[in-house]
Structures are given as structure tokens and as C-alpha cells.
Amino acid sequence: MEEIAPSYDLVVLGTGLTECILSGVASVKGAKVLHMDRNDHYGGASASVNLETLFKAYPNSYTPGTEPWKKYGRPNDWNIDLVPKLLMSNGELTNILVSTDVTRYIEFRQVAGSYVQQGQGSRATVAKVPSDAGEALRSPLMGLFEKRRARNFLNWVAAFDEANPSTHNGMNLTQATMRQVYDKFGLEATTRDFVGHSMALYTTDDYIDNRGMAKNCVERIRLYVNSMARYGKSPYIYPLYGLGELPQGFARLSAIYGGTYMLNTNVDEIKYGADGKVEGIKATMKERGEAGEGFKFETKCKKIIADPSYFPDKVQVVGHMLKAICILNHPIDKTDNSDSLQLIIPQSQVGRKHDIYIAMVSSAHNVCPKGYYIAIVSTVAETSANHHLELQPGLERLGKIEEQFMGPPIPLYGPKAGGEADNVFLSKSYDASSHFETMTDDVRDMYRRAEGQELVVEGLKDGQNLVAEE
Amino acid sequence: MAARMQQGGRPGGGGARFAQFKLVLLGESAVGKSSLVLRFVKDQFDDYRESTIGAAFLTQTIALDEQTTVKFEIWDTAGQERYKSLAPMYYRNANCAVVVYDITQASSLDKAKSWVKELQRQANENIVICLAGNKLDLVTEQPDKRAVTTADAEAYAQEANLLFFETSAKTSENVKELFTAIARKLPIEQASQGRGARGAAGRPGGVDLGSRQEPGAQGGASGCNC
């Protein structure tokens, strides 16, 4: 085995998307990066796995000794995401992908539809989320007069320009609550629901009375509308072969700029100096089933970036997420036979505090064989028992389910400290939101903590071109 | 990223054919993977090239005949093979592979064989694989440096159904020949009938996020292209 360098600027632990983006950025900027993962695959908590691996990750989903995955074709034709998220086509992750040229390694395809549920049980209606004023007028979600009010509201959002007070409609958004804004346009409760939850993508109603949140809400709606306008069918795009391609793409970027990659590598010890700052790391690379001690090494480093699982003592639980991965052999009812979609069940419609999300993809994105659909139902856990009941409204929406994979509530972690004291900078777990905007916020936040400056991805690679690229 | 085909001329007629294929490089460190590609793409060689800081994304076009052009989209390992950490993305939709060993290092052929196995496990089943015994220049100068006989490697290549060349990235011997031989084995006709997967923007619902404007890229913002 080739020797490891005696020192690195940055050691990254875990190959989740957050870590891989930061590793890629650091390498492009010239840092000497050593990136490792204890697993034998890339992606950590944001990996996509094949069907056999998925069954084995949920031992309760099948009888030991049987091989239920065999009836679903080749396991490797399945790429099942562990986090249910989609990319906003005008969002920050798209911006980072384009700025770093990682788009060269990954193909994207539109998600066919964005839906919202009104009501519950047998009386529930499911409708496309209107994406602009024109669609609002055609939407079955609202009555005639409400449609006009919604159109006025969406026209105002589209025209809003912070620098131009004449577009503010007499409101100061940095002071106003969103309730005041809704009141001003006279929007009904059901309209507020789909605007706040399926366009602004808030998972709870906390935003409504939060002073100063109105501006944030307007920005979120604009992100939704602009993302929608980019390709037309929905505001979302999704990578062929699953979300697991994303960390791999950024890892490749990092490697191309000199980053060293080691999978199957366990951390044995983190060394700290007298000042409490990290100084180095001892680790062992050993493939599963490989005989002997493995390849042991030690190296110095100035900083560590890691996902929460590598530093259990330095993180705390900030919430719990519930998730059921379901395999269907039919599209979801009332969704125009969409091959992929997001469907949001706003909390108020089903008597909850947090929305229930359904993210569905299919063979159209090369994540499963033809004829199958992978739907992930998720929400934030609100009770301490009977969690499957919390997901029930979402599971009902799916119709007949071939296989369902659900475990106990998934703890979400966040770092206890910023990391400046020990130079160990930790990411947050992937949260229950349906897109990557909070993940990219975390990337920016970590970069700020670790580097003491803002991350600017635009123009990142300019002047950094290696061996002529075309 | 798989075979992309554009057909010039009249549909169904005998017009010019153009197909694009993804080619991946594999082999032990320091056998000359990047050097082979650099020779092929830029016709350059650097004796003291450091181990791969990667060729991010190289392409090269070969005209097989007056009618047929094949474009290789070449993926370098970017060093991720060094600690057995190549991502599945690397093999994904690869149409062809060059597995390189160093004819002066017997162990590098063993490594090449394990890469061939890995390709058969991970890549498309109809992938075209070429075995390349590199550093031919070293044994031309000093025949006693040879550690792998041509006959041995050839026998293995035949048995595993691989194309085979001994090459020198330094002198360029057999480099063009190797890539041409691969191009001739690729299913250009099939791609021309639309059977190969198309690029993202060509799929229904596919989106082209567009890449960043390359500084000095052809057809850039500056200047008039009319």
C-alpha cells in the first residue's frame, strides 16, 4: 500500500454529500485533503443502496434465510436513496453543481410533478401545486374568488423587489409577520396552507407569526416559482441513478484536484495538541473480510471536517425523523400517472404539527426496473410511540404497497459547538425537509466556521483548470 | 454519458456517422494511465509527471473513415484507485476501458487482471476492454527490463476476450492504434439506430443544467461567431 503523506491541511471523515462538497471545494482551492469513510461505499447517510442492501438494513422486513429481493430483478438495478430529498432546479445545490462542473459527471432529469393534499381520508383531494398566477386561476384547490386573491398574491410575490419600495405594497417585510401579509391579500386558511407548506416548503406553521419571517417566506416562494419556471413540470430535478451520485461526483472533483480517498477506513485515534486543537489522526484501512491487521497509518492535520457519526461526544440529538421507504408497482392515484413527484400533506390537513412528505421516483430516473416506483414517506416524529401511525396518512395515499421498510425514529444530530475551539467541524444530519437548501446552508455555515470566510462557488474553478479540459 | 449518437446526412441514408462513448482507464498506480491518455489527446509526454492530479475530463475524436467519427469521453481515475476507492459512478455507462499494466513490473499485470474482473462485475456487460502493456520504450532500450512476456499477456487477453497492445506513451508507439482498435469494436451502428442512451438533454424530461463558461472556451461570449 502506498504511504500516506505525513501531513494534510484537512482530513474529512465520512463521504456524505455535505462532506464531499466541502472536500471538493477545499481541494479546488489548493488544500491537501485526506478524505476517508469507514464504509465500503460512498455517501454515508446520503448514499443510495441496492435492494439487497436495503433489505439487509431492515432485518425486520424479511424472514432470515430468505432472499426476497430476488423477485425484484437484479439488486443492482435498484438505487434507493436513504434520504428523501429532491433538488430545487434553481436552488443552491444546483448552483454549486454548475459552478464546480460536477454536472459533467451526473445527468439530471425533471421530477414530473409537485402535488399537495387537501382534506384527509376518503374526502382528500390531491392537486398540482399552482406555480404562478395563471395556474392559480385554474387550480381546483380554490374557489373562484379565492383564485383571484391568490393570483394577486402570487403576482405581488413575483414582482417583489427588496430595493424598490413601490413593490412592497405598503408592507415592511423585515418587520411584518406572514399572517399580516396573508391578511392583506385576504387569503383563506387552505390557501395559506398550500402556499406556506407546498411552495415556501415550511414543515410547520411556526413561520406564520414569526416577526420578520415574511421576507424569508417571500424568498422561499420565489425560489419555488423560479425553480418551476426553469424546466416547467415541477420545481424539482433529480439525478439519474439516485442521489448517491451527488457525493460521488463531488468526491471525484476533490480527487481530480489532488484529494486522497480511502474507503473501508476506521479512525483509531484523534490526536489533540496542548491547545486543545486537533493535531493528527491514526486510522486503519481494512476491507471487510480481509485477513490481517489492515493498513495502519498516522498523519498530521490542521483541521477535521466530519459527519456527526464520527464524533458522537461532540454532537447532540436535535430531533427525530420518521421514514418509510415503499416499493410500489403503480403510480400514485390522482397524480396524472406521474413517474416522479413530490406530494405534500400539510400538517393542518391531518391534525399534525409537521407536514408529511412523499417523494417518489421510478425507472424514469434509473433507480429501479421498469414498472416499479420508490416512494419515501417521511415526517418529523411528534409522539414517543406508535410512529407508524404518524406516517399513516402518507402511506394511505400510496395505495397498494409491495414492500415497506421502516425502522425506529431516526435521530437527527447537530454539533454542540462551532468547532473553532478544537478545529473539528461537524455537519448536521440530513433533515426532514424535502430539498437540499438546508444542507447547502450547513455547507456554507461549516465553511464559514472552518475557513473564517464566506464560501463563494461562482468562479471557483476559474484559473484552476488542470490538464486542458477539452 | 453513454453512447451518444448524432446522425448527419439523410435519416436512414449512408450519411456521416458520429458517436460518442465513455472510456475509463484502470490499472495500478504509476503504470502510465494518464500518460497514455495525454499522448493520445494532446500528443504530449512528460517524463516526470506527478501521480495523477487528474485529467478532469478529456475528449478526443478519431475519424475511422471518411464517414465515421468516434468521440471518446475519457475518464481518469483521479487517483481514487490508489486505495481501492473508485466510485461506482466511474464504471457507470462506460462503453470501453483501457486496463494498463507496466511490462517491466510483473505484479502490475496481476493488478490489471483484477481490474478486468472488477469491470466484468461492475460495468456494462458489453463493455469493450483493451489490455495495454505500457512502457515498451524501456525494454526497447534495455531488453532485460522486461518482466512480462508479450506471449503471456497476449494469451491472457485472448482468454479473457480483450483487445491487446504493448504501448509506449513516451514514444507514442501503438497509442493511436490502441484507441482506433477500440473505436472499431464499439457498436457505432447500434448507436446510430438510437439504441444507445442519449445525453441528459436528449432524454424526455432530461435537463441540461449547463456548465460554467470555460475561460477561452470555443464559441465563448467574446467575439462574433457568424
Side-chain angles (χ1 to χ4, degrees), chain A residues 71-72 78 325-333 337-339 360-363 368-375 397-404:
Chain A
K71 70 173 168 178
Y72 295 102
W78 294 80
I325 300 172
C326 301
I327 292 171
L328 316 178
N329 57 14
H330 56 81
I332 296 175
D333 193 27
N337 288 330
S338 292
D339 59 34
M360 190 196 78
V361 285
S362 68
S363 57
C368 60
K370 274 211 159 39
Y372 289 106
Y373 300 79
I374 304 169
R397 182 69 20 239
L398 300 185
K400 186 167 175 281
I401 296 169
E402 300 304 304
E403 301 286 346
Q404 181 179 326

Side-chain angles (χ1 to χ4, degrees), chain A residues 424-445:
Chain A
V424 175
F425 303 93
L426 303 178
S427 60
K428 295 176 180 162
S429 303
Y430 302 97
D431 67 14
S433 69
S434 63
H435 48 64
F436 286 100
E437 300 305 303
T438 48
M439 187 278 305
T440 49
D441 286 348
D442 194 31
V443 166
R444 291 187 169 280
D445 186 48

Side-chain angles (χ1 to χ4, degrees), chain A residues 150-173:
Chain A
R151 179 190 58 182
N152 290 343
F153 171 74
L154 290 174
N155 276 336
W156 170 72
V157 168
F160 181 82
D161 173 6
E162 200 181 0
N164 181 358
S166 74
T167 66
H168 295 186
N169 203 6
M171 288 177 286
N172 179 354
L173 288 199

Side-chain angles (χ1 to χ4, degrees), chain B residues 12 15 26 55 74 77 100 105 108 122 126 130 140 149 159 165 168 175 184 193 201 203:
Chain B
L26 289 164
I74 303 167
T77 59
V100 188
Q105 300 287 340
S108 70
Q122 297 234 35
N126 46 8
C130 182
T140 313
T149 68
E159 172 197 316
F165 287 90
S168 167
V175 174
R184 291 197 184 283
Q193 286 151 16
R203 277 170 206 270

